[in-house]
Amino acid sequence: LIELRGAHVPKMKAELQTLVDAGKLSEEELRAVNPMDLLDLAESDLSERMAEAASRGELFREQPFVMGLPASQVDGSDSDETILIQGIIDAYFEEDGEIIVLDYKTDRVQTEAELKDRYQEQLRLYTKALEQITRKKVKEQIIYSFTLCKEIHLEGYKND
């Protein structure tokens, strides 16, 4: 199995170089990418779900957003100021009329809990933005960890 997977590495490297040549990936980002990690993602259930959404035209990548939130929702202050939040959502897709938001992480961590603690607030903001933009409910928040080679589902998130 490892030999079969290894046979795909040169093709994966060529695809990555194509992204660099097109200006969609920097040389620095290319050096940080492990082709075997990409193969793990490509062979996952998540990848299959994304491919199905793409075939329906319901997969969206690198989606920028800007939204205004009351300061109290961002920093807990009692200010009535509006704070502008901007970001880029790695990917989201639709299933059964609801949204799944996905964030890729390359952090070198030992446990899922580290990523959940670090990025729960970020995913909460992405969820809020997507629900405003799409007018659809976000049913899942997923972090895909390249270090742990797995998807991590955030559960019990709050949508205030």
Side-chain angles (χ1 to χ4, degrees):
L1 184 60
I2 290 173
E3 288 177 20
L4 290 173
R5 290 172 51 100
H8 292 289
V9 172
K11 183 177 179 185
M12 184 73 70
K13 285 182 177 179
E15 291 292 327
L16 291 169
Q17 187 59 52
T18 300
L19 292 173
V20 171
D21 295 344
K24 295 184 179 209
L25 190 69
S26 72
E27 289 287 344
E28 183 179 345
E29 290 167 327
L30 176 64
R31 286 189 297 277
V33 172
N34 179 345
M36 295 300 276
D37 291 345
L38 293 176
L39 286 172
D40 286 334
L41 174 59
E43 294 171 351
S44 70
D45 290 338
L46 179 61
S47 181
E48 185 176 315
R49 291 171 70 191
M50 292 171 70
E52 289 172 9
S55 73
R56 298 186 307 268
E58 296 174 338
L59 171 64
F60 306 91
R61 297 182 177 160
E62 298 294 320
Q63 294 297 302
F65 73 92
V66 177
M67 72 176 170
L69 289 176
S72 62
Q73 288 186 23
V74 177
D75 62 13
S77 70
D78 59 359
S79 171
D80 60 356
E81 282 187 63
T82 296
I83 296 178
L84 285 180
I85 307 287
Q86 65 179 13
I88 297 177
I89 299 168
D90 287 342
Y92 72 92
F93 57 98
E94 193 172 321
E95 279 182 347
D96 303 321
E98 294 182 307
I99 302 295
I100 293 84
V101 62
L102 172 62
D103 200 38
Y104 303 111
K105 296 298 179 195
T106 57
D107 303 40
R108 300 289 176 206
V109 295
Q110 299 296 315
T111 67
E112 292 181 20
E114 291 176 81
L115 289 172
K116 287 179 177 182
D117 290 344
R118 232 177 256 177
Y119 296 107
Q120 189 163 0
E121 180 62 15
Q122 178 183 345
L123 272 287
R124 185 187 73 82
L125 292 173
Y126 287 0
T127 294
K128 193 168 198 61
L130 281 171
E131 288 184 342
Q132 286 179 6
I133 293 165
T134 66
R135 303 278 186 230
K136 295 179 181 178
K137 181 182 185 309
V138 170
K139 74 173 183 175
E140 286 181 68
Q141 296 174 325
I142 302 170
I143 295 171
Y144 186 85
S145 170
F146 284 100
T147 298
L148 301 175
C149 297
K150 68 189 298 188
E151 55 189 87
I152 300 162
H153 295 259
L154 299 180
E155 314 232 353
Y157 61 87
K158 292 183 179 175
N159 268 345
D160 346 307

